């Protein structure tokens, strides 16, 4: 039961490649962070989409 409750609050993260036009970074990001970076004009690709 406790495990199920913990899983509700666990953030799903994705291995991502972030490109700002000059530097490529490999990060683990949540979907919210991915959306925020995309709004800033950064290119974010989830690793499983490559």
């Amino acid at each position: 039961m406790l495990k199920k409750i913990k899983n509700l609050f666990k953030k799903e993260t994705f291995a991502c490649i972030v490109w700002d036009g000059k530097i490529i970074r490999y990060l683990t990001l949540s979907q919210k962070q991915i959306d925020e970076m995309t709004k800033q004009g950064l290119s974010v690709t989830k690793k499983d989409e490559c």
Side-chain angles (χ1 to χ4, degrees), residues 12-17 27 31 34 44-50:
E12 185 177 5
T13 56
F14 306 95
C16 299
I17 299 168
L27 304 171
Q31 187 61 50
I34 292 170
V44 179
T45 305
K46 292 181 185 174
K47 193 173 179 182
D48 60 338
E49 294 176 356
C50 293

Side-chain angles (χ1 to χ4, degrees), residues 26-41:
Y26 299 92
L27 304 171
T28 302
L29 303 170
S30 67
Q31 187 61 50
K32 184 177 179 182
Q33 291 171 310
I34 292 170
D35 294 341
E36 288 177 18
M37 290 184 142
T38 304
K39 286 180 187 175
Q40 294 174 6

Side-chain angles (χ1 to χ4, degrees), residues 6-26:
K6 282 184 179 181
N7 285 338
L8 290 175
F9 296 101
K10 194 175 188 179
K11 289 184 180 180
E12 185 177 5
T13 56
F14 306 95
C16 299
I17 299 168
V18 180
W19 171 251
D20 68 359
K22 298 177 185 173
I23 300 171
I24 294 177
R25 290 183 225 145
Y26 299 92

